[in-house]
């Protein structure tokens, strides 16, 4: 009798099930969750969330997505370990609010987001060292911006905004030997003293200038000389050009 197709063989599967250890499987799941939690992204600070505001709004926001972009990198979610004073950073904020808000349009809150910079020990940088670094292309962006409600069928309750942040070279690690983190504070427009939501970035280190990407190494003289010889040999082997008959 011919061997049965492998798809109908269950011997290997039964052996794997005999070796299966539920405790080991659970441990691996926990490790995977820890890895996800350790990703370098902005995290919601639950103890600084206004329960009174969201009780009034019936539920918490479904999703907060913050991505970063600058002139030398594409838009990405993970916060870099190193920031540079020679670069201004765009922060794209998407706040997915509860759909219950749409049931009473008159109660839709006007929300403002503000970027803040802190030393690793929690001391806020309140001077001009943390600024918007405005350019002509992004003159409408800044450290404090309102969130606009984006009307879309797929996400009808999405708030969006773009911040522009820049950190002065005087705060670089070379001078201060300190690391920093950013926080985004969300407020109701009429009350800028009490944040309703706070998200915090991982700690990063500031340097003055980002190094340029390494260029291709120049070929050695020997290699250049060999390439010239190869070109000469090819030219000698090539058929002569046809002369036009006058």
């Amino acid at each position: 009798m011919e061997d049965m197709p492998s798809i109908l063989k269950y011997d290997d599967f039964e052996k794997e099930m005999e070796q299966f250890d539920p405790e080991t499987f659970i441990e691996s799941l926990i490790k995977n969750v820890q890895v996800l939690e350790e990703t370098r992204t902005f995290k919601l600070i639950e103890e600084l969330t206004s329960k009174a505001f969201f009780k009034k709004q019936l539920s918490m926001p479904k999703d907060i997505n913050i991505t970063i972009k600058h002139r030398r990198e594409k838009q990405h979610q993970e916060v870099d370990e190193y920031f540079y004073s020679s670069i201004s950073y765009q922060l794209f904020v998407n706040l997915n609010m509860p759909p219950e808000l749409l049931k009473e349009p008159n109660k839709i809150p006007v929300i403002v987001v503000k970027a803040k910079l802190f030393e690793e020990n929690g001391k806020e940088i309140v001077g001009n060292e943390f600024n918007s670094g405005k350019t002509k292309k992004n003159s409408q962006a800044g450290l404090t911006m309102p969130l606009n409600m984006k009307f879309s069928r797929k996400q009808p309750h999405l708030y969006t905004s773009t911040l522009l942040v820049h950190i002065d070279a005087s705060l670089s690690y070379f001078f201060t030997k300190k690391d920093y983190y950013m926080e985004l504070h969300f407020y109701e427009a009429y009350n800028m003293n009490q944040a309703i939501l706070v998200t915090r970035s991982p700690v990063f280190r500031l340097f003055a200038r980002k190094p340029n990407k390494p260029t291709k190494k120049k070929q050695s003289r020997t290699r250049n000389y060999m390439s010239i010889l190869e070109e000469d040999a090819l030219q000698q082997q090539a058929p002569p050009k046809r002369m036009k008959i006058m």
Side-chain angles (χ1 to χ4, degrees), residues 13-129:
F13 176 74
E14 289 178 353
K15 288 179 182 178
E16 289 181 4
M17 290 304 297
E18 289 176 359
Q19 298 174 357
F20 177 75
D21 182 8
E23 293 183 2
T24 305
F25 178 71
I26 292 172
E27 287 178 3
S28 65
L29 284 179
I30 293 173
K31 287 181 180 179
N32 290 336
V33 171
Q34 289 175 345
V35 168
L36 290 173
E37 291 178 349
E38 291 172 1
T39 53
R40 293 184 56 82
T41 57
F42 278 84
K43 298 289 193 307
L44 178 67
I45 310 301
E46 292 186 8
E47 58 267 27
L48 298 178
T49 301
S50 173
K51 295 180 180 178
F53 171 82
F54 288 103
K55 186 177 181 181
K56 182 175 64 176
Q57 304 300 336
L58 301 179
S59 62
M60 290 283 288
K62 286 191 169 185
D63 183 37
I64 303 174
N65 185 32
I66 300 168
T67 54
I68 303 175
K69 180 181 180 296
H70 60 79
R71 58 185 171 82
R72 294 183 61 177
E73 286 186 5
K74 295 181 180 180
Q75 190 170 336
H76 55 281
Q77 194 169 11
E78 289 199 0
V79 178
D80 297 329
E81 294 183 9
Y82 304 117
F83 273 56
Y84 301 92
S85 63
S86 59
I87 296 175
S88 293
Y89 295 81
Q90 287 179 282
L91 303 181
F92 299 91
V93 182
N94 290 329
L95 181 63
N96 203 349
M97 292 294 283
E100 291 88 345
L101 290 175
L102 297 179
K103 295 179 180 179
E104 299 182 59
N106 295 331
K107 293 185 179 181
I108 295 177
V110 178
I111 300 177
V112 175
V113 58
K114 182 177 182 179
K116 296 185 177 185
L117 182 68
F118 295 84
E119 294 179 1
E120 189 177 11
N121 60 11
K123 181 182 177 182
E124 184 179 359
I125 304 296
V126 294
N128 293 329
E129 294 87 357

Side-chain angles (χ1 to χ4, degrees), residues 174-224:
F174 178 80
F175 295 111
T176 65
K177 299 296 185 290
K178 295 177 180 178
D179 293 333
Y180 304 92
Y181 63 86
M182 274 191 287
E183 285 185 355
L184 298 188
H185 290 232
F186 297 81
Y187 303 90
E188 286 188 277
Y190 68 86
N191 183 11
M192 294 292 291
N193 295 320
Q194 181 65 44
I196 59 173
L197 276 176
V198 177
T199 61
R200 182 178 296 166
S201 78
V203 172
F204 58 84
R205 184 165 293 180
L206 179 73
F207 290 100
R209 188 174 295 277
K210 186 172 184 177
N212 294 324
K213 293 181 180 180
T215 56
K216 294 181 179 180
K217 293 182 179 180
K218 294 182 178 180
Q219 293 180 338
S220 64
R221 292 182 179 180
T222 306
R223 188 173 179 182
N224 287 335

Side-chain angles (χ1 to χ4, degrees), residues 149-167:
M149 198 163 187
K150 186 176 181 180
F151 293 96
S152 168
R153 291 183 178 180
K154 293 182 178 180
Q155 294 176 304
H157 38 270
L158 182 67
Y159 281 88
T160 65
S161 188
T162 303
L163 302 176
L164 191 66
V165 302
H166 171 262
I167 309 174

Side-chain angles (χ1 to χ4, degrees), residues 218-235:
K218 294 182 178 180
Q219 293 180 338
S220 64
R221 292 182 179 180
T222 306
R223 188 173 179 182
N224 287 335
Y225 178 69
M226 292 300 294
S227 63
I228 292 172
L229 293 178
E230 289 174 0
E231 288 178 4
D232 290 341
L234 289 173
Q235 288 178 0

